[in-house]
Amino acid sequence: MRIEDKKVLATLRDLGVELKSAASLTDITYLGIGGTTDLLRLTRHESIPEVVKLLESNGIPFKFLGGGSNLLVADNVLPWVVMQLAQPDPDVVIEGNIATVDAAADLGRTVTMCAKHDLGGMEGLIGVPGTVGGALRMNAGAYGIQIGNYVREVKVYRGGARIIETLKGDQISFEYRHTSFAPDDMMLAVKLELPSKPFREILQGIRICNEKRRASQPLGQKSAGCIFKNPPGASAGRMIDELGLKGFSVGDARVSDRHANFFVNAGKASARDMLALIADVRERVQKAYGFELENEVVVWNA
Ligand code: EPU
């Protein structure tokens, strides 16, 4: 979708929005899949309610994008514009055991910054790609750690009420790859309260998790991490593997040879290919094991 109205474009500029017209989401998402649309980079949190009002009053549909690491976007020209937070400098501020982090901050960099200040707890998250905002919304986790465990406060734009609010950690529920945020809420910043730990000890934990990840996941390839959530008491990756589906593909969308719950874009996969592969694998697992696998990847259909 293109914004062409000159008045709207000028107002967006006044609100601190940097517009990249006809941006390709193929270049932004980790899967390397997605059509084109106008990308609005927001440099000021406070202006978000006004930006939303402006778009709504001009009939321009929109979506909020985090880092694009857990996202499958439709092909071709997209029927909505995409908003993304610009990264402020600094994006991580540490005082005592509290790290105040902008939602646009890179998650891995945040873990390392905190480690340098002798703040640990998040070692398992080191290789999880994407932004802190995306990790928060999904309650990202790995190796027994979930980001929700450390959340003290979240600043969020509430899509329903159209206001910016600060929520205490205990006002939010964090479950396995799920939070109580609404789909149209946009994470803006978070205060994490982290346990003190010597830097060397944290580094050791980080190394162990990195090695485990390298040994079991297709790190150099285009993927959105795990495609399906694990059903209670079962492993989606193991079931797909047991069905002999590693390497199974639709076009260039392929079940990874390394970890069967990672579906990779092995060339020029389209969203159509990837969605067909997801549907096919889901059906096979349902038939063989009776589990209806739920997507972990977020899908933006056009
Ligand atoms: N397994 C296989 N074949 C495979 C993949 C896995 O047999 O192709 C077996 C493994 O040998 C192991 C079991 O399945 O016995 C579980 O595998 P793994 O330890 O790799 O963990 P997972 O349940 O597949 C989860 C998270 C990952 C996270 C890892 C490490 C989900 C859906 N996935 O994977 O998170 O990195 O644990 O903690 O919860 C993500 O969220 O995108 C993600 C990659």
Side-chain angles (χ1 to χ4, degrees):
M1 168 156 219
R2 299 286 298 269
I3 303 178
E4 277 160 3
D5 186 312
K6 290 211 170 71
K7 242 166 90 185
V8 174
L9 291 170
T11 314
L12 285 173
R13 258 195 309 275
D14 292 345
L15 291 169
V17 176
E18 296 163 358
L19 186 129
K20 185 168 181 221
S21 74
S24 166
L25 291 190
T26 294
D27 300 334
I28 296 176
T29 61
Y30 280 55
L31 261 174
I33 293 176
T36 55
T37 190
D38 281 359
L39 177 67
L40 278 54
R41 307 205 68 219
L42 308 158
T43 61
R44 292 184 225 139
H45 290 173
E46 324 80 65
S47 65
I48 294 173
E50 274 189 78
V51 173
V52 169
K53 213 164 114 192
L54 177 71
L55 296 178
E56 284 180 340
S57 60
N58 284 277
I60 302 167
F62 57 88
K63 287 187 181 290
F64 293 128
L65 173 70
S69 60
N70 192 41
L71 184 63
L72 171 55
V73 182
D75 304 310
N76 305 319
V77 178
L78 302 168
W80 16 260
V81 299
V82 167
M83 289 198 251
Q84 191 180 37
L85 294 179
Q87 210 169 335
D89 184 23
D91 53 358
V92 182
V93 175
I94 296 170
E95 277 175 295
N97 285 63
I98 305 286
T100 304
V101 189
D102 192 272
D106 178 74
L107 178 62
R109 210 177 73 80
T110 302
V111 174
T112 322
M113 287 264 295
C114 292
K116 284 183 184 157
H117 287 78
D118 298 314
L119 295 181
M122 298 197 292
E123 292 85 332
L125 295 175
I126 190 71
V128 177
T131 61
V132 167
L136 260 181
R137 152 165 293 292
M138 287 294 293
N139 190 20
Y143 306 112
I145 288 163
Q146 304 184 98
I147 192 167
N149 300 349
Y150 302 106
V151 171
R152 182 154 157 176
E153 214 173 88
V154 176
K155 185 176 154 200
V156 55
Y157 168 74
R158 301 292 239 170
R162 293 169 171 71
I163 51 165
I164 292 175
E165 240 181 6
T166 298
L167 302 176
K168 297 280 173 219
D170 59 12
Q171 292 177 277
I172 309 159
S173 94
F174 289 99
E175 291 152 49
Y176 167 65
R177 301 296 193 273
H178 179 80
T179 61
S180 49
F181 292 112
D184 56 357
D185 286 346
M186 185 186 205
M187 309 297 112
L188 301 178
V190 61
K191 278 191 198 305
L192 299 167
E193 184 167 9
L194 298 164
S196 300
K197 239 191 207 184
F199 177 58
R200 275 220 238 137
E201 223 175 274
I202 303 173
L203 211 58
Q204 183 59 14
I206 284 177
R207 282 209 188 103
I208 293 170
C209 292
N210 268 339
E211 270 161 37
K212 283 192 196 160
R213 203 180 283 282
R214 258 198 300 274
S216 64
Q217 299 181 0
L219 299 189
Q221 288 178 278
K222 289 181 189 166
S223 86
C226 285
I227 285 286
F228 300 113
K229 294 182 187 180
N230 285 333
S235 159
R238 183 182 293 145
M239 289 189 280
I240 300 167
D241 191 359
E242 280 174 0
L243 289 174
L245 295 174
K246 279 184 170 168
F248 179 57
S249 41
V250 175
D252 278 337
R254 177 179 304 164
V255 177
S256 159
D257 293 318
R258 183 161 275 225
H259 193 300
N261 197 11
F262 280 65
F263 293 8
V264 300
N265 175 1
K268 287 194 179 327
S270 62
R272 215 184 143 97
D273 296 336
M274 194 53 83
L275 287 168
L277 183 64
I278 292 172
D280 195 335
V281 171
R282 177 182 283 120
E283 198 182 319
R284 286 167 193 255
V285 169
Q286 163 74 41
K287 275 197 187 131
Y289 294 92
F291 284 115
E292 176 80 26
L293 292 179
E294 196 186 324
N295 281 357
E296 198 215 85
V297 65
V298 175
V299 179
W300 285 359
N301 281 309

